[in-house]
Amino acid sequence: MPSVAPGGALVDVALGGICGTDVHLRTGHLSVPLPLAMGHEGVGHIRALGEGLTTDVEGQPLTVGDRVVWANNIPCGSCYECLVLKEPTLCLNRKIYGINRKASDAPHLQGGWAETISLEAGTTIIKLPDTVSFEEVITLGCAGPTAIHGVVENLTIEPGSIVAVQGAGPVGLASAMYAKAMGAAQVIILGGPTSRIEVFRRSFR
């Protein structure tokens, strides 16, 4: 077990999501360093807090045992993409858990499929309220943040809007959910399989 770094945390992973990106990594469609502890979606309980880390990104106090979720990457904050474009997801220098962190390099445990993950200083950590289950949070995994960026930050959806979503995968379903939350009167999902469409239909009856 690695020691906890200043500003970081050790988290015992409760659930690790499987993203479409993980499938691409496993089949060799994307380049990754080896050895690799995979998994960039995770939720769990804080095992240890590093010096200086006392609150989550919202200012909520953090203590050992708290239930948390964390962002899967740390952008550099100083490149053209981060500073000028204001698009940290395009940062070429991002540290991404479970994708570009070699497991042979200390602190080794930097993937969400490990039993414990070592989160570095600068990681966005969110304390979960007791009313939200791990299953509910991990369902959104990285599809949730992706849809937030695409739908909430880059579209204007007003009460009464009609929104069409192309694709019924995790990102498509999350996008449809956010569109409804923003007041869309009608959300049309194009795609399949039918089982996913039915899940969304039941959720918004």
Side-chain angles (χ1 to χ4, degrees):
M1 186 64 63
S3 58
V4 60
L10 293 178
V11 178
D12 290 330
V13 179
L15 296 174
I18 300 175
C19 174
T21 298
D22 295 316
V23 177
H24 292 305
L25 296 178
R26 175 65 180 84
T27 53
H29 294 158
L30 296 173
S31 177
V32 293
L34 296 175
L36 176 71
M38 290 181 66
H40 58 279
E41 304 177 354
V43 291
H45 296 92
I46 293 177
R47 181 188 186 98
L49 290 169
E51 181 181 356
L53 182 61
T54 58
T55 65
D56 74 353
V57 70
E58 299 285 337
Q60 296 295 315
L62 291 175
T63 59
V64 171
D66 282 346
R67 302 162 63 251
V68 293
V69 62
W70 53 93
N72 62 25
N73 69 93
I74 308 172
C76 74
S78 60
C79 66
Y80 176 79
E81 288 77 7
C82 287
L83 289 178
V84 179
L85 296 182
K86 306 297 183 185
E87 294 281 1
T89 57
L90 300 179
C91 174
L92 299 179
N93 304 310
R94 287 187 302 159
K95 300 176 181 179
I96 311 174
Y97 293 112
I99 293 181
N100 67 3
R101 317 310 307 281
K102 288 186 70 172
S104 55
D105 296 337
H108 313 296
L109 301 178
Q110 293 198 300
W113 294 354
E115 292 181 9
T116 301
I117 186 170
S118 178
L119 301 179
E120 295 187 24
T123 302
T124 299
I125 299 174
I126 302 171
K127 181 177 177 178
L128 299 177
D130 294 336
T131 54
V132 178
S133 70
F134 278 147
E135 288 79 7
E136 289 170 319
V137 175
I138 201 65
T139 297
L140 289 172
C142 69
T146 301
I148 284 284
H149 181 64
V151 176
V152 178
E153 296 177 353
N154 288 292
L155 291 181
T156 300
I157 298 176
E158 301 173 345
S161 295
I162 298 176
V163 178
V165 178
Q166 175 68 52
V171 174
L173 292 178
S175 298
M177 179 181 70
Y178 293 146
K180 289 290 289 185
M182 294 168 72
Q186 185 177 12
V187 177
I188 303 166
I189 301 182
L190 309 172
T194 304
S195 59
R196 290 180 177 173
I197 304 296
E198 287 302 318
V199 167
F200 183 75
R201 193 196 310 273
R202 290 196 305 269
S203 299
F204 287 93
R205 281 179 179 165

